[in-house]
Amino acid sequence: MEMIKPQRDLPQTLFSTLIFMTLLVCALWLLHPFLLSIVWAGLIVTATWPLFMLVTRKLKGRKGMAIAVMMLFLTVIFLLPMVFSAAMLSLSMEHLLQWLMHMDKAHLPAFDFLLNIPHVGERLHQQWQQFIVAHADNVFATLKPWILKGAMMLIKELGQFGSLFINGILMLLGCLMFYLHGKTIAAGLHLFAFRIARERGALAITLAGKTVQAVAMGVVLTAVIQAAVAGLGLFVCQIPSSALLTGIIFMLCLMQLGPTIVMVPAAVWLLYTGFHWTGGLLLIWSFVAGSLDNILKPMLIKRGADTSLLLIMAGVIGGMLTWGIIGLMIGPVLLAVSWKLLATWVNDTTSASTFNAQTL
């Protein structure tokens, strides 16, 4: 005798769905202050999981020691540069404000290099000196309120480093949790995806993990190498605040803008101040550091995932423009997973049509 399943009426289905969605929304609302840190922690642990497994093997399976090493590594990579950058920016802003408050025509450059230009150089230099004498005070009186307003806006933005530091602490705690229970969480994600879309769901989770690792290898590691090479060049050429400029170069490399935005003006400044050999060396060094992006990134990304390089780069740039730094990881993952699932669906449909045509 077959069991007759009880039929669910429409109100029961609607209320069940409503209660479930309400619980889900409330849970997400409660976790809202921590979502950014949790997502960052998940992306970082996914990207560094092969390194974590390598450290575990080197330590003969001692997971606790491996986690301690990884947490120390992440602290040095993420937290310490954040604190150092905040301190350096605060000091630089203090000097900038002092300079702005006492700014007058004596701070304007003399442009003596104009005298070396044949025929017109002396006249240009003379006109510049006349402009300083006649109009510099009026120009400073007009621009000073706007410059001070811009400086105050920068100081206000420095206050964001406090929340960024707190998010960094929460991110490290999230990384600790993911390292401790990473395999259990991964198994749960695969099971959840399989329940939703069967084999395609599990494929999407696997592809997302590989894409995160590919982006970390291709984009982040390339940015680290470029920033290290650029920072070495700035240090060798004795550029002031080279450590702070190296941190700025690292962020620019993550945003796919390259190190030349900082290094070329530094080289021009050296040339302007009379250090011609050092300025020429730094100018050549800047182009060498900028060209590393074209060599390392394709090679490292293709090693991490069998995905179109153009697709990943579009995801990196689009993600940065849409969601900021966190979009660096989310953008290519969304594009790669969406493209892979769409391609799988199209290929299945094509195969089925071909099979039917051959059968008929």
Side-chain angles (χ1 to χ4, degrees):
M1 183 177 180
E2 296 182 358
M3 297 287 294
I4 300 177
K5 295 183 179 180
Q7 295 183 354
R8 295 171 63 90
D9 56 2
L10 182 59
Q12 182 182 10
T13 303
L14 289 176
F15 280 116
S16 300
T17 305
L18 181 61
I19 292 173
F20 176 77
M21 293 302 297
T22 302
L23 291 174
L24 182 60
V25 169
C26 290
L28 290 176
W29 184 258
L30 289 174
L31 292 175
H32 177 262
F34 313 103
L35 282 180
L36 181 62
S37 302
I38 292 174
V39 172
W40 257 121
L43 293 174
I44 290 172
V45 171
T46 303
T48 58
W49 190 260
L51 179 61
F52 171 62
M53 297 306 296
L54 176 64
V55 173
T56 304
R57 288 194 298 269
K58 292 294 183 180
L59 295 175
K60 299 179 180 180
R62 289 179 289 183
K63 186 177 179 181
M65 288 292 297
I67 292 175
V69 171
M70 292 301 299
M71 294 304 298
L72 180 61
F73 170 73
L74 293 180
T75 301
V76 172
I77 292 296
F78 290 101
L79 206 58
L80 292 185
M82 194 183 305
V83 176
F84 178 76
S85 299
M88 291 294 295
L89 283 175
S90 299
L91 185 61
S92 300
M93 287 303 302
E94 182 181 354
H95 293 320
L96 177 62
L97 285 177
Q98 291 179 357
W99 181 78
L100 289 174
M101 294 303 295
H102 302 89
M103 185 173 57
D104 55 20
K105 60 184 180 182
H107 291 86
L108 289 176
F111 288 159
D112 292 333
F113 70 92
L114 293 174
L115 296 173
N116 299 324
I117 301 177
H119 305 298
V120 298
E122 185 175 354
R123 190 192 323 172
L124 291 174
H125 185 266
Q126 184 178 3
Q127 290 180 354
W128 172 249
Q129 296 296 326
Q130 291 175 356
F131 174 81
I132 292 177
V133 174
H135 303 288
D137 293 334
N138 294 330
V139 171
F140 280 128
T142 304
L143 294 181
K144 184 176 287 187
W146 295 97
I147 296 175
L148 290 176
K149 185 177 180 180
M152 295 305 296
M153 291 178 62
L154 288 176
I155 292 175
K156 183 178 179 181
E157 291 297 323
L158 283 177
Q160 300 295 327
F161 271 93
S163 61
L164 190 61
F165 179 77
I166 295 175
N167 283 326
I169 296 293
L170 294 175
M171 180 267 292
L172 290 177
L173 293 176
C175 290
L176 177 61
M177 181 188 68
F178 287 136
Y179 281 132
L180 285 171
H181 309 288
K183 293 184 177 179
T184 304
I185 295 173
L189 287 175
H190 277 85
L191 182 60
F192 178 75
F194 184 82
R195 290 281 292 172
I196 292 177
R198 297 295 173 179
E199 290 81 4
R200 291 181 183 176
L203 175 64
I205 296 296
T206 303
L207 180 63
K210 289 184 177 180
T211 305
V212 170
Q213 293 174 0
V215 173
M217 288 291 294
V219 178
V220 180
L221 185 58
T222 301
V224 170
I225 295 174
Q226 279 188 290
V229 173
L232 179 62
L234 295 175
F235 178 77
V236 170
C237 296
Q238 298 181 353
I239 297 295
S241 302
S242 57
L244 177 61
L245 293 177
T246 302
I248 296 174
I249 288 174
F250 175 68
M251 298 302 297
L252 291 174
C253 292
L254 285 180
M255 293 185 287
Q256 310 304 302
L257 297 177
T260 54
I261 297 178
V262 174
M263 297 186 71
V264 170
V268 172
W269 176 76
L270 286 174
L271 294 171
Y272 172 73
T273 53
F275 298 95
H276 299 99
W277 286 103
T278 309
L281 175 63
L282 185 60
L283 192 62
I284 297 173
W285 204 311
S286 66
F287 287 108
V288 172
S291 64
L292 290 175
D293 179 88
N294 301 322
I295 301 173
L296 294 175
K297 190 181 298 176
M299 179 177 61
L300 293 174
I301 286 180
K302 292 303 290 183
R303 286 186 61 186
D306 188 14
T307 308
S308 171
L309 178 63
L310 179 62
L311 190 71
I312 290 181
M313 295 311 301
V316 168
I317 298 174
M320 284 287 299
L321 295 176
T322 305
W323 292 301
I325 295 296
I326 196 171
L328 178 75
M329 296 290 188
I330 296 178
V333 169
L334 288 177
L335 276 185
V337 171
S338 302
W339 177 261
K340 192 69 175 181
L341 293 178
L342 180 62
T344 303
W345 177 74
V346 170
N347 291 333
D348 286 350
T349 304
T350 305
S351 301
S353 301
T354 305
F355 176 78
N356 291 333
Q358 291 176 353
T359 304
L360 294 175

